[in-house]
Amino acid sequence: GAVVSQHPSWVICKSGTSVKIECRSLDFQATTMFWYRQFPKQSLMLMATSNEGSKATYEQGVEKDKFLINHASLTLSTLTVTSAHPEDSSFYICSARSGGIQETQYFGPGTRLLVL
Amino acid sequence: GQNIDQPTEMTATEGAIVQINCTYQTSGFNGLFWYQQHAGEAPTFLSYNVLDGLEEKGRFSSFLSRSKGYSYLLLKELQMKDSASYLCAVMDSNYQLIWGAGTKLIIKP
């Protein structure tokens, strides 16, 4: 149980294009989903927290107009990197949590984004 | 401020035991998590402690002392596949996860 999937696993795109990453909880309903970014050899950095049906809460320094998050259902959240630039190249990881706020976060496999 | 400290890197021998420590200073405490992250992959959940004491799960055990702001992850009978980063994370009073930088564990034959 508690499986989270992400799609795509790899993205290579040109600078200026937009990229959408999907995060799905496959066998549970995720009331809260989290989006992280991880640069090589660095710790996870929380970008935003999204609750189903409401606007995402962004961490300080994360541009909400650049990183659009939609949590339209209890099993799906999307992150769209708009007008991607090479500095946005990173490993993007989502996690999902069911039920109560003390519930464990389960991570998706991550999406590696390379912007040329 | 909030702070999670864990060693940057540790080396151990296959078949041995290793203990990875984590100390924390956070605004409130609602549990401590350990995650394993292999290079190039997302983290996977290992353990959750909210009460003092030792939680054992197969070859892995996790210990918590809330009064000391201290936890450790104990790995027994080390295998080569245990080479990974181990992340300590504390849930604070706002139920936000505060992440440590991770401990890279290198297993040698």
Side-chain angles (χ1 to χ4, degrees), chain B residues 36-58:
Chain B
Q36 179 191 60
Q37 186 177 25
H38 284 101
E41 298 180 12
T44 55
F45 170 75
L46 289 178
S47 67
Y48 170 67
N49 294 66
V50 68
L51 299 176
D52 290 350
L54 188 67
E55 295 274 347
E56 296 186 74
K57 195 184 289 187

Side-chain angles (χ1 to χ4, degrees), chain A residues 34 36 38 42-44 46 49 59 91 93 97 101-110 112, chain B residues 30-31 33 35 37 39-45 48 50 87 91 95-97 99-102:
Chain A
F34 304 85
Y36 292 85
Q38 187 176 37
Q42 294 188 22
S43 184
L44 292 169
L46 180 65
T49 302
E59 295 299 299
F91 190 38
I93 312 170
R97 183 177 70 196
I101 48 182
Q102 289 181 286
E103 291 281 335
T104 300
Q105 286 185 32
Y106 294 95
F107 286 86
R112 202 163 294 282
Chain B
N30 280 299
F33 296 81
Y35 285 84
Q37 186 177 25
E41 298 180 12
T44 55
F45 170 75
Y48 170 67
V50 68
L87 306 172
M91 187 171 280
Y95 299 97
Q96 299 274 30
L97 272 183
W99 291 89

Side-chain angles (χ1 to χ4, degrees), chain A residues 51-89:
Chain A
N51 293 296
E52 184 264 338
S54 61
K55 289 184 179 180
T57 303
Y58 290 81
E59 295 299 299
Q60 196 170 10
V62 178
E63 299 173 56
K64 61 181 180 181
D65 294 331
K66 180 170 181 63
F67 299 99
L68 302 178
I69 292 172
N70 187 327
H71 191 167
S73 78
L74 286 171
T75 59
L76 173 65
S77 176
T78 61
L79 167 68
T80 301
V81 183
T82 62
S83 187
H85 288 98
E87 57 265 30
D88 298 323
S89 298

Side-chain angles (χ1 to χ4, degrees), chain B residues 11-104:
Chain B
T11 302
T13 305
E14 190 177 14
I17 299 173
V18 71
Q19 177 175 310
I20 303 173
N21 296 325
C22 171
T23 58
Y24 62 89
Q25 292 170 311
T26 57
S27 56
F29 179 83
N30 280 299
L32 184 144
F33 296 81
W34 283 96
Y35 285 84
Q36 179 191 60
Q37 186 177 25
H38 284 101
E41 298 180 12
T44 55
F45 170 75
L46 289 178
S47 67
Y48 170 67
N49 294 66
V50 68
L51 299 176
D52 290 350
L54 188 67
E55 295 274 347
E56 296 186 74
K57 195 184 289 187
R59 293 189 299 115
F60 293 6
S61 302
S62 56
F63 171 83
L64 174 67
S65 169
R66 288 172 296 171
S67 62
K68 295 181 180 177
Y70 167 70
S71 172
Y72 67 72
L73 180 69
L74 190 71
L75 292 76
K76 302 176 186 175
E77 300 169 18
L78 285 171
Q79 302 175 9
M80 297 304 292
K81 67 178 182 179
D82 297 330
S83 292
S85 287
Y86 291 85
L87 306 172
C88 173
V90 173
M91 187 171 280
D92 69 8
S93 57
N94 294 318
Y95 299 97
Q96 299 274 30
L97 272 183
I98 311 300
W99 291 89
T103 298
K104 183 178 180 181

